Amino acid sequence: MKKADSAHPAPITVPVRLDEQPVGSPAQQAFRQAIVDVENLREQLRDLRAAQAEARRRYWQQVGPAATAVVTARRSLFPALEEALLLSCFSRLEEAQITALILGNARALEERFGEDEAAIIRKYAPAEHRQAPGSAAENTSQADSAPNPAPAPDPTLPPHEQAAAQARARRKTKAQRAQEAAAQAARADQQQFESNAKTIYRQLARTHHPDLERDPEKQADKTAQMQRITAAYEADDLYTLLRLLAETGPADAAADDVLARYTRALRQQQITLKQAMNEVKYGPHGFVGSTGKKQELELRQLKRDLRAEADYLQHVGQLLREPDGLRDVLRQLAAEGLESI
């Protein structure tokens, strides 16, 4: 029991924030929230990719020379494969296989070892796959592009290899059709979202044009804001235009309908970003490093596997020096249903 003359601490007061009334119509509030959610997911995806790349880099450093030997062996395959594409002795089907082999090799170097092979991928990847995951341009190209017809098999190949090539082409066509059907529900809103930069610019210009303001101080503010709007429009930066629209959007019923369409498209973009995050974390190239004795055992086994892989790649590299050897490699990969080593 405390004495009567003991010192008591001063009473602690906690400031309580009064509930603020939300600004704007429900459509504007939902649109602003969708912008914030997309921005947060984009930042989380960037951080996750950076963390995965750093963890992968540290892991491969522990493996040491074995990983370096595989990287060197894989990079040594590019000159022979690229030179083969310049020769006239390969069929179109074989050239497509060689291109797939180059891309698979480059992506293995990027995804497994953290090497930068963006130049090779940009050079040989189809146009619809060159954009960054989750970007607006990628969504547009995927929505607008129709499945490519399956290429005819090379008539010079044996019948069983022609049948295998046709089966692979049919499987690829089915996958493309399934992907197109899955994206069809959100395509209309997404296309509207992608193609309306000019509409957004006009809406913002009507709201922020300095010539419509007589107060000099407000006119200066609107001039600065209009400069941001114009710079974003000239750079075709749709995301910045949407953020500016979220800050001070118009408040009429027609504009609310437009914002509702943008909100639906942004929510679809959230789904795409979440899928990309799951792919980074749990996909075939996601990386979670173990620790302790388990990691030591894994590293020993990995070094053995990498040494075997480097030996095999050197053997493949010798085969690729001659057209007949490259054909043998392509046929072996096709027989096993593989596109890359």
Side-chain angles (χ1 to χ4, degrees), residues 44-62 109-116 277 279-281 285-289:
Q44 291 174 26
L45 182 58
R46 284 194 299 267
D47 293 344
L48 181 60
R49 283 176 173 158
Q52 289 267 315
E54 178 62 20
R56 190 179 297 112
R57 186 188 64 80
R58 289 198 305 267
Y59 188 75
W60 287 117
Q61 277 183 342
Q62 297 179 66
L109 285 168
E110 279 204 338
E111 293 163 355
R112 289 179 56 201
F113 300 96
E115 300 295 320
D116 183 9
M277 291 175 64
E279 178 66 23
V280 171
K281 287 192 288 189
H285 304 293
F287 182 85
V288 179

Side-chain angles (χ1 to χ4, degrees), residues 317-338:
Q318 293 175 354
L319 294 176
L320 298 186
R321 296 174 184 175
E322 299 294 334
D324 291 340
L326 176 53
R327 282 197 176 94
D328 290 340
V329 173
L330 295 178
R331 287 171 183 169
Q332 182 181 357
L333 293 173
E336 297 177 3
L338 302 175

Side-chain angles (χ1 to χ4, degrees), residues 173-191:
T173 303
K174 281 184 180 180
Q176 290 173 342
R177 288 174 181 171
Q179 184 178 7
E180 183 182 2
Q184 191 171 4
R187 184 175 299 172
D189 283 338
Q190 193 66 31
Q191 288 179 342

